[in-house]
Amino acid sequence: MESLPDIPRVVQLPDGTYTYADHLPAAPQQIYSGPQVIHQHVHQAPPDRTVQRIALGSGVGAGTVAAGVYFGPLLVGVLTAMAANLALLALIAAVCAWGVVTVVRSVGGEDGKRAADTVRRTRRR
């Protein structure tokens, strides 16, 4: 008789249904009515450090790797700023050239038109 398992106890729930006592949820712990502190962890994907791992594996010092990690993004930022400046200068040059051409065409009169026709005929030959 000692080897038989214990018979689970059956209890009646408040809604009238029956269930085994070992399936009941655990009783709630003490309820804290104070302010609730929520810890939120924002995770960001780690940077790709493949180049640094290769550098360390090939015997390059940690200072060189640290410089690459620090100055790499700075170099990208500087090159981006330079490209933006050059694009702005190219836009200004194009607008100025368009303005000069427009002014020369409008001010040139008959002499300008004849000169343009002469240049056009010369190119055709």
Side-chain angles (χ1 to χ4, degrees):
M1 288 291 252
E2 294 177 16
S3 64
L4 293 176
D6 293 334
I7 299 174
R9 209 173 57 136
V10 177
V11 293
Q12 185 177 12
L13 297 176
D15 64 355
T17 59
Y18 292 93
T19 186
Y20 290 107
D22 59 347
H23 288 112
L24 290 176
Q29 301 296 327
Q30 288 182 338
I31 298 174
Y32 177 67
S33 62
Q36 185 177 6
V37 178
I38 298 174
H39 294 280
Q40 183 176 7
H41 299 279
V42 178
H43 294 281
Q44 183 178 2
D48 185 17
R49 300 191 186 269
T50 306
V51 175
Q52 286 80 20
R53 289 188 184 119
I54 292 171
L56 282 175
S58 64
V60 175
T64 306
V65 173
V69 169
Y70 181 75
F71 289 114
L74 288 177
L75 179 64
V76 170
V78 167
L79 292 176
T80 304
M82 289 171 54
N85 288 338
L86 288 175
L88 182 63
L89 288 175
L91 177 67
I92 291 172
V95 168
C96 289
W98 174 78
V100 168
V101 168
T102 304
V103 168
V104 168
R105 281 185 183 168
S106 65
V107 173
E110 289 297 319
D111 293 335
K113 290 179 183 175
R114 268 188 258 127
D117 289 339
T118 304
V119 169
R120 198 175 310 128
R121 281 189 218 130
T122 307
R123 287 185 184 167
R124 288 182 188 169
R125 292 183 190 174

